[in-house]
Amino acid sequence: MDIYTIIFLALAVFIFLRLRSVLGQRTGNERPPFDRTAARNALGGAQDNNVVTMPGKVIDQAPLAPTAEPTAPADRWKELAEPGTALAQGLDAIVEKDSSFDPRHFLSGARGAYEMIVLAFANGDRRALRDLLSSDVYDSFDAAIREREKNEQKTETRFVSIDKAELVGAELRDRNAQLTVRFVSQMISATRDKAGNIVDGSADTVADITDIWTFARDTSSRDPNWKLVGTGSAN
């Protein structure tokens, strides 16, 4: 090995050691990681809320905002449930397991889910229903849609209003929270055969509808969404 080779090797080692002493050190001027949420909010984009906006997002509630003073037990579920009732006790049990649970946010999302599910069923939108329903309820809805398709019938449904969405039941079974909601609405619905003749309902009559639906969620799951697990009607 000649003298020039030795000199070049020594120089290369020296440069490598200098670079290693500099690379990887923080100077305090590094750019922070890109925050997609902050950027979206700064641009005025939509923020997460508690109303269903697309299939797959059923009923999601934001964590309870911190308050200066804790709510007195007697007023905790004011306008939702009377103190000491089974409904109030059920809500207490659910929030004990899931501190982020807020029934008011839940009801806001439930209204959106109710309308979405009714319209998806009328349109035979199985893709939307699969994300919104439990497997048992989905099978029931799917069977009704298949029967309608077999008879070459189509259903037209239009909401006039959702007048009320109120909690009528709350229960915690192990880790599974269940909330039952009474929906009072007005809608126009008609089913037509392949010739366009109405075989059920009316195309111009507003009907008063009362549905009683139960939603459930595993409180130990990281998924914040609720799914429809039971349906009933007071009509």
Side-chain angles (χ1 to χ4, degrees), residues 168-194:
V168 295
E171 185 178 6
L172 182 68
R173 297 181 179 179
D174 295 327
R175 299 174 303 180
N176 192 48
Q178 292 192 354
L179 294 172
T180 301
V181 183
R182 179 189 291 119
F183 297 98
V184 179
S185 65
Q186 292 185 325
M187 66 179 76
I188 298 172
S189 184
T191 300
R192 299 178 184 271
D193 61 19
K194 62 180 180 179

PDB file of all heavy atoms in Angstrom, residues 168-194:
ATOM      1  N   VAL A 168     -85.412   5.694  26.311  1.00  0.00           N
ATOM      2  CA  VAL A 168     -86.420   5.012  27.132  1.00  0.00           C
ATOM      3  C   VAL A 168     -85.819   3.818  27.867  1.00  0.00           C
ATOM      4  O   VAL A 168     -86.503   3.188  28.675  1.00  0.00           O
ATOM      5  CB  VAL A 168     -87.628   4.559  26.282  1.00  0.00           C
ATOM      6  CG1 VAL A 168     -88.355   5.763  25.718  1.00  0.00           C
ATOM      7  CG2 VAL A 168     -87.200   3.610  25.156  1.00  0.00           C
ATOM      8  N   GLY A 169     -84.564   3.511  27.594  1.00  0.00           N
ATOM      9  CA  GLY A 169     -83.914   2.404  28.276  1.00  0.00           C
ATOM     10  C   GLY A 169     -82.410   2.494  28.192  1.00  0.00           C
ATOM     11  O   GLY A 169     -81.862   2.968  27.191  1.00  0.00           O
ATOM     12  N   ALA A 170     -81.740   2.060  29.257  1.00  0.00           N
ATOM     13  CA  ALA A 170     -80.273   2.024  29.291  1.00  0.00           C
ATOM     14  C   ALA A 170     -79.863   0.863  30.178  1.00  0.00           C
ATOM     15  O   ALA A 170     -80.413   0.669  31.266  1.00  0.00           O
ATOM     16  CB  ALA A 170     -79.705   3.335  29.828  1.00  0.00           C
ATOM     17  N   GLU A 171     -78.909   0.094  29.694  1.00  0.00           N
ATOM     18  CA  GLU A 171     -78.516  -1.101  30.431  1.00  0.00           C
ATOM     19  C   GLU A 171     -77.067  -1.446  30.107  1.00  0.00           C
ATOM     20  O   GLU A 171     -76.610  -1.249  28.984  1.00  0.00           O
ATOM     21  CB  GLU A 171     -79.426  -2.267  30.045  1.00  0.00           C
ATOM     22  CG  GLU A 171     -79.200  -3.540  30.834  1.00  0.00           C
ATOM     23  CD  GLU A 171     -80.174  -4.640  30.433  1.00  0.00           C
ATOM     24  OE1 GLU A 171     -80.937  -4.447  29.465  1.00  0.00           O
ATOM     25  OE2 GLU A 171     -80.153  -5.705  31.086  1.00  0.00           O
ATOM     26  N   LEU A 172     -76.368  -1.959  31.105  1.00  0.00           N
ATOM     27  CA  LEU A 172     -75.009  -2.432  30.913  1.00  0.00           C
ATOM     28  C   LEU A 172     -74.974  -3.910  31.252  1.00  0.00           C
ATOM     29  O   LEU A 172     -75.246  -4.313  32.383  1.00  0.00           O
ATOM     30  CB  LEU A 172     -74.020  -1.665  31.800  1.00  0.00           C
ATOM     31  CG  LEU A 172     -72.551  -2.051  31.636  1.00  0.00           C
ATOM     32  CD1 LEU A 172     -72.035  -1.620  30.268  1.00  0.00           C
ATOM     33  CD2 LEU A 172     -71.697  -1.443  32.740  1.00  0.00           C
ATOM     34  N   ARG A 173     -74.669  -4.734  30.248  1.00  0.00           N
ATOM     35  CA  ARG A 173     -74.544  -6.176  30.450  1.00  0.00           C
ATOM     36  C   ARG A 173     -73.080  -6.553  30.286  1.00  0.00           C
ATOM     37  O   ARG A 173     -72.566  -6.571  29.166  1.00  0.00           O
ATOM     38  CB  ARG A 173     -75.404  -6.936  29.441  1.00  0.00           C
ATOM     39  CG  ARG A 173     -76.893  -6.660  29.572  1.00  0.00           C
ATOM     40  CD  ARG A 173     -77.676  -7.470  28.542  1.00  0.00           C
ATOM     41  NE  ARG A 173     -79.110  -7.242  28.662  1.00  0.00           N
ATOM     42  CZ  ARG A 173     -80.032  -7.816  27.877  1.00  0.00           C
ATOM     43  NH1 ARG A 173     -79.637  -8.642  26.903  1.00  0.00           N
ATOM     44  NH2 ARG A 173     -81.313  -7.566  28.049  1.00  0.00           N
ATOM     45  N   ASP A 174     -72.430  -6.840  31.396  1.00  0.00           N
ATOM     46  CA  ASP A 174     -70.984  -7.050  31.393  1.00  0.00           C
ATOM     47  C   ASP A 174     -70.321  -5.799  30.797  1.00  0.00           C
ATOM     48  O   ASP A 174     -70.395  -4.738  31.370  1.00  0.00           O
ATOM     49  CB  ASP A 174     -70.623  -8.311  30.611  1.00  0.00           C
ATOM     50  CG  ASP A 174     -71.161  -9.574  31.293  1.00  0.00           C
ATOM     51  OD1 ASP A 174     -71.209  -9.576  32.526  1.00  0.00           O
ATOM     52  OD2 ASP A 174     -71.540 -10.526  30.595  1.00  0.00           O
ATOM     53  N   ARG A 175     -69.721  -5.914  29.623  1.00  0.00           N
ATOM     54  CA  ARG A 175     -69.080  -4.756  28.979  1.00  0.00           C
ATOM     55  C   ARG A 175     -69.959  -4.166  27.882  1.00  0.00           C
ATOM     56  O   ARG A 175     -69.571  -3.180  27.256  1.00  0.00           O
ATOM     57  CB  ARG A 175     -67.736  -5.185  28.384  1.00  0.00           C
ATOM     58  CG  ARG A 175     -66.743  -5.708  29.410  1.00  0.00           C
ATOM     59  CD  ARG A 175     -65.505  -6.253  28.741  1.00  0.00           C
ATOM     60  NE  ARG A 175     -65.810  -7.298  27.775  1.00  0.00           N
ATOM     61  CZ  ARG A 175     -64.906  -7.950  27.054  1.00  0.00           C
ATOM     62  NH1 ARG A 175     -63.628  -7.648  27.193  1.00  0.00           N
ATOM     63  NH2 ARG A 175     -65.254  -8.887  26.201  1.00  0.00           N
ATOM     64  N   ASN A 176     -71.111  -4.760  27.654  1.00  0.00           N
ATOM     65  CA  ASN A 176     -71.955  -4.353  26.536  1.00  0.00           C
ATOM     66  C   ASN A 176     -73.015  -3.349  26.982  1.00  0.00           C
ATOM     67  O   ASN A 176     -73.902  -3.676  27.783  1.00  0.00           O
ATOM     68  CB  ASN A 176     -72.636  -5.589  25.932  1.00  0.00           C
ATOM     69  CG  ASN A 176     -73.287  -5.288  24.604  1.00  0.00           C
ATOM     70  OD1 ASN A 176     -72.665  -4.684  23.735  1.00  0.00           O
ATOM     71  ND2 ASN A 176     -74.536  -5.703  24.438  1.00  0.00           N
ATOM     72  N   ALA A 177     -72.911  -2.127  26.474  1.00  0.00           N
ATOM     73  CA  ALA A 177     -73.894  -1.081  26.787  1.00  0.00           C
ATOM     74  C   ALA A 177     -75.008  -1.121  25.752  1.00  0.00           C
ATOM     75  O   ALA A 177     -74.758  -1.258  24.553  1.00  0.00           O
ATOM     76  CB  ALA A 177     -73.223   0.291  26.780  1.00  0.00           C
ATOM     77  N   GLN A 178     -76.259  -1.003  26.232  1.00  0.00           N
ATOM     78  CA  GLN A 178     -77.408  -0.985  25.340  1.00  0.00           C
ATOM     79  C   GLN A 178     -78.277   0.221  25.662  1.00  0.00           C
ATOM     80  O   GLN A 178     -78.581   0.474  26.828  1.00  0.00           O
ATOM     81  CB  GLN A 178     -78.224  -2.269  25.463  1.00  0.00           C
ATOM     82  CG  GLN A 178     -77.525  -3.504  24.952  1.00  0.00           C
ATOM     83  CD  GLN A 178     -78.453  -4.695  24.809  1.00  0.00           C
ATOM     84  OE1 GLN A 178     -79.614  -4.642  25.190  1.00  0.00           O
ATOM     85  NE2 GLN A 178     -77.949  -5.784  24.253  1.00  0.00           N
ATOM     86  N   LEU A 179     -78.658   0.953  24.629  1.00  0.00           N
ATOM     87  CA  LEU A 179     -79.509   2.128  24.777  1.00  0.00           C
ATOM     88  C   LEU A 179     -80.718   1.974  23.859  1.00  0.00           C
ATOM     89  O   LEU A 179     -80.559   1.680  22.673  1.00  0.00           O
ATOM     90  CB  LEU A 179     -78.751   3.408  24.428  1.00  0.00           C
ATOM     91  CG  LEU A 179     -77.600   3.780  25.371  1.00  0.00           C
ATOM     92  CD1 LEU A 179     -76.818   4.947  24.802  1.00  0.00           C
ATOM     93  CD2 LEU A 179     -78.125   4.117  26.757  1.00  0.00           C
ATOM     94  N   THR A 180     -81.892   2.175  24.416  1.00  0.00           N
ATOM     95  CA  THR A 180     -83.129   2.067  23.634  1.00  0.00           C
ATOM     96  C   THR A 180     -83.712   3.459  23.438  1.00  0.00           C
ATOM     97  O   THR A 180     -83.833   4.234  24.396  1.00  0.00           O
ATOM     98  CB  THR A 180     -84.147   1.154  24.335  1.00  0.00           C
ATOM     99  OG1 THR A 180     -83.566  -0.152  24.501  1.00  0.00           O
ATOM    100  CG2 THR A 180     -85.416   1.017  23.513  1.00  0.00           C
ATOM    101  N   VAL A 181     -84.064   3.761  22.190  1.00  0.00           N
ATOM    102  CA  VAL A 181     -84.531   5.100  21.820  1.00  0.00           C
ATOM    103  C   VAL A 181     -85.909   4.996  21.167  1.00  0.00           C
ATOM    104  O   VAL A 181     -86.145   4.122  20.338  1.00  0.00           O
ATOM    105  CB  VAL A 181     -83.554   5.776  20.829  1.00  0.00           C
ATOM    106  CG1 VAL A 181     -84.013   7.199  20.509  1.00  0.00           C
ATOM    107  CG2 VAL A 181     -82.138   5.770  21.387  1.00  0.00           C
ATOM    108  N   ARG A 182     -86.784   5.901  21.562  1.00  0.00           N
ATOM    109  CA  ARG A 182     -88.087   6.017  20.901  1.00  0.00           C
ATOM    110  C   ARG A 182     -88.010   7.164  19.901  1.00  0.00           C
ATOM    111  O   ARG A 182     -87.730   8.308  20.260  1.00  0.00           O
ATOM    112  CB  ARG A 182     -89.208   6.275  21.896  1.00  0.00           C
ATOM    113  CG  ARG A 182     -90.589   6.429  21.214  1.00  0.00           C
ATOM    114  CD  ARG A 182     -91.673   6.910  22.166  1.00  0.00           C
ATOM    115  NE  ARG A 182     -92.005   5.890  23.138  1.00  0.00           N
ATOM    116  CZ  ARG A 182     -91.861   6.016  24.449  1.00  0.00           C
ATOM    117  NH1 ARG A 182     -91.355   7.154  24.942  1.00  0.00           N
ATOM    118  NH2 ARG A 182     -92.203   5.052  25.280  1.00  0.00           N
ATOM    119  N   PHE A 183     -88.251   6.845  18.644  1.00  0.00           N
ATOM    120  CA  PHE A 183     -88.264   7.848  17.582  1.00  0.00           C
ATOM    121  C   PHE A 183     -89.708   8.113  17.164  1.00  0.00           C
ATOM    122  O   PHE A 183     -90.457   7.177  16.880  1.00  0.00           O
ATOM    123  CB  PHE A 183     -87.494   7.362  16.345  1.00  0.00           C
ATOM    124  CG  PHE A 183     -86.021   7.125  16.575  1.00  0.00           C
ATOM    125  CD1 PHE A 183     -85.545   5.845  16.815  1.00  0.00           C
ATOM    126  CD2 PHE A 183     -85.125   8.180  16.552  1.00  0.00           C
ATOM    127  CE1 PHE A 183     -84.192   5.622  17.013  1.00  0.00           C
ATOM    128  CE2 PHE A 183     -83.775   7.967  16.749  1.00  0.00           C
ATOM    129  CZ  PHE A 183     -83.300   6.681  16.984  1.00  0.00           C
ATOM    130  N   VAL A 184     -90.068   9.377  17.134  1.00  0.00           N
ATOM    131  CA  VAL A 184     -91.383   9.788  16.634  1.00  0.00           C
ATOM    132  C   VAL A 184     -91.128  10.626  15.387  1.00  0.00           C
ATOM    133  O   VAL A 184     -90.457  11.657  15.454  1.00  0.00           O
ATOM    134  CB  VAL A 184     -92.166  10.597  17.683  1.00  0.00           C
ATOM    135  CG1 VAL A 184     -93.512  11.033  17.124  1.00  0.00           C
ATOM    136  CG2 VAL A 184     -92.371   9.771  18.958  1.00  0.00           C
ATOM    137  N   SER A 185     -91.655  10.172  14.261  1.00  0.00           N
ATOM    138  CA  SER A 185     -91.365  10.851  13.004  1.00  0.00           C
ATOM    139  C   SER A 185     -92.584  10.895  12.106  1.00  0.00           C
ATOM    140  O   SER A 185     -93.606  10.234  12.365  1.00  0.00           O
ATOM    141  CB  SER A 185     -90.224  10.136  12.270  1.00  0.00           C
ATOM    142  OG  SER A 185     -90.621   8.826  11.897  1.00  0.00           O
ATOM    143  N   GLN A 186     -92.456  11.678  11.049  1.00  0.00           N
ATOM    144  CA  GLN A 186     -93.467  11.730   9.997  1.00  0.00           C
ATOM    145  C   GLN A 186     -92.767  11.433   8.679  1.00  0.00           C
ATOM    146  O   GLN A 186     -91.721  12.010   8.385  1.00  0.00           O
ATOM    147  CB  GLN A 186     -94.134  13.111   9.944  1.00  0.00           C
ATOM    148  CG  GLN A 186     -94.991  13.426  11.159  1.00  0.00           C
ATOM    149  CD  GLN A 186     -95.726  14.741  10.998  1.00  0.00           C
ATOM    150  OE1 GLN A 186     -95.207  15.695  10.407  1.00  0.00           O
ATOM    151  NE2 GLN A 186     -96.931  14.818  11.512  1.00  0.00           N
ATOM    152  N   MET A 187     -93.337  10.522   7.928  1.00  0.00           N
ATOM    153  CA  MET A 187     -92.725  10.178   6.646  1.00  0.00           C
ATOM    154  C   MET A 187     -93.786   9.749   5.648  1.00  0.00           C
ATOM    155  O   MET A 187     -94.910   9.400   6.002  1.00  0.00           O
ATOM    156  CB  MET A 187     -91.666   9.096   6.828  1.00  0.00           C
ATOM    157  CG  MET A 187     -92.182   7.754   7.275  1.00  0.00           C
ATOM    158  SD  MET A 187     -90.841   6.513   7.443  1.00  0.00           S
ATOM    159  CE  MET A 187     -90.088   7.043   8.979  1.00  0.00           C
ATOM    160  N   ILE A 188     -93.389   9.798   4.398  1.00  0.00           N
ATOM    161  CA  ILE A 188     -94.233   9.331   3.294  1.00  0.00           C
ATOM    162  C   ILE A 188     -93.551   8.116   2.698  1.00  0.00           C
ATOM    163  O   ILE A 188     -92.373   8.167   2.349  1.00  0.00           O
ATOM    164  CB  ILE A 188     -94.401  10.433   2.224  1.00  0.00           C
ATOM    165  CG1 ILE A 188     -95.093  11.659   2.827  1.00  0.00           C
ATOM    166  CG2 ILE A 188     -95.193   9.916   1.038  1.00  0.00           C
ATOM    167  CD1 ILE A 188     -95.131  12.854   1.893  1.00  0.00           C
ATOM    168  N   SER A 189     -94.272   7.016   2.594  1.00  0.00           N
ATOM    169  CA  SER A 189     -93.668   5.793   2.094  1.00  0.00           C
ATOM    170  C   SER A 189     -94.672   5.012   1.251  1.00  0.00           C
ATOM    171  O   SER A 189     -95.841   4.887   1.620  1.00  0.00           O
ATOM    172  CB  SER A 189     -93.185   4.923   3.255  1.00  0.00           C
ATOM    173  OG  SER A 189     -92.509   3.783   2.786  1.00  0.00           O
ATOM    174  N   ALA A 190     -94.209   4.505   0.131  1.00  0.00           N
ATOM    175  CA  ALA A 190     -95.065   3.715  -0.756  1.00  0.00           C
ATOM    176  C   ALA A 190     -94.226   2.643  -1.438  1.00  0.00           C
ATOM    177  O   ALA A 190     -93.073   2.888  -1.807  1.00  0.00           O
ATOM    178  CB  ALA A 190     -95.722   4.610  -1.804  1.00  0.00           C
ATOM    179  N   THR A 191     -94.808   1.462  -1.589  1.00  0.00           N
ATOM    180  CA  THR A 191     -94.160   0.368  -2.303  1.00  0.00           C
ATOM    181  C   THR A 191     -94.921   0.119  -3.600  1.00  0.00           C
ATOM    182  O   THR A 191     -96.144  -0.025  -3.596  1.00  0.00           O
ATOM    183  CB  THR A 191     -94.141  -0.914  -1.449  1.00  0.00           C
ATOM    184  OG1 THR A 191     -93.421  -0.663  -0.240  1.00  0.00           O
ATOM    185  CG2 THR A 191     -93.478  -2.056  -2.199  1.00  0.00           C
ATOM    186  N   ARG A 192     -94.176   0.074  -4.699  1.00  0.00           N
ATOM    187  CA  ARG A 192     -94.789  -0.100  -6.016  1.00  0.00           C
ATOM    188  C   ARG A 192     -94.348  -1.424  -6.638  1.00  0.00           C
ATOM    189  O   ARG A 192     -93.231  -1.899  -6.405  1.00  0.00           O
ATOM    190  CB  ARG A 192     -94.381   1.046  -6.948  1.00  0.00           C
ATOM    191  CG  ARG A 192     -94.814   2.433  -6.476  1.00  0.00           C
ATOM    192  CD  ARG A 192     -94.334   3.511  -7.436  1.00  0.00           C
ATOM    193  NE  ARG A 192     -94.651   4.848  -6.968  1.00  0.00           N
ATOM    194  CZ  ARG A 192     -95.787   5.495  -7.246  1.00  0.00           C
ATOM    195  NH1 ARG A 192     -96.710   4.898  -8.016  1.00  0.00           N
ATOM    196  NH2 ARG A 192     -95.993   6.710  -6.787  1.00  0.00           N
ATOM    197  N   ASP A 193     -95.237  -2.000  -7.458  1.00  0.00           N
ATOM    198  CA  ASP A 193     -94.866  -3.193  -8.203  1.00  0.00           C
ATOM    199  C   ASP A 193     -94.146  -2.787  -9.477  1.00  0.00           C
ATOM    200  O   ASP A 193     -93.905  -1.590  -9.723  1.00  0.00           O
ATOM    201  CB  ASP A 193     -96.111  -4.056  -8.493  1.00  0.00           C
ATOM    202  CG  ASP A 193     -97.151  -3.327  -9.344  1.00  0.00           C
ATOM    203  OD1 ASP A 193     -96.803  -2.320 -10.012  1.00  0.00           O
ATOM    204  OD2 ASP A 193     -98.321  -3.759  -9.359  1.00  0.00           O
ATOM    205  N   LYS A 194     -93.796  -3.768 -10.318  1.00  0.00           N
ATOM    206  CA  LYS A 194     -93.000  -3.454 -11.500  1.00  0.00           C
ATOM    207  C   LYS A 194     -93.757  -2.597 -12.507  1.00  0.00           C
ATOM    208  O   LYS A 194     -93.141  -1.947 -13.365  1.00  0.00           O
ATOM    209  CB  LYS A 194     -92.534  -4.744 -12.173  1.00  0.00           C
ATOM    210  CG  LYS A 194     -93.642  -5.644 -12.694  1.00  0.00           C
ATOM    211  CD  LYS A 194     -93.048  -6.881 -13.339  1.00  0.00           C
ATOM    212  CE  LYS A 194     -94.129  -7.811 -13.878  1.00  0.00           C
ATOM    213  NZ  LYS A 194     -93.529  -9.011 -14.525  1.00  0.00           N
TER     214      LYS A 194
END
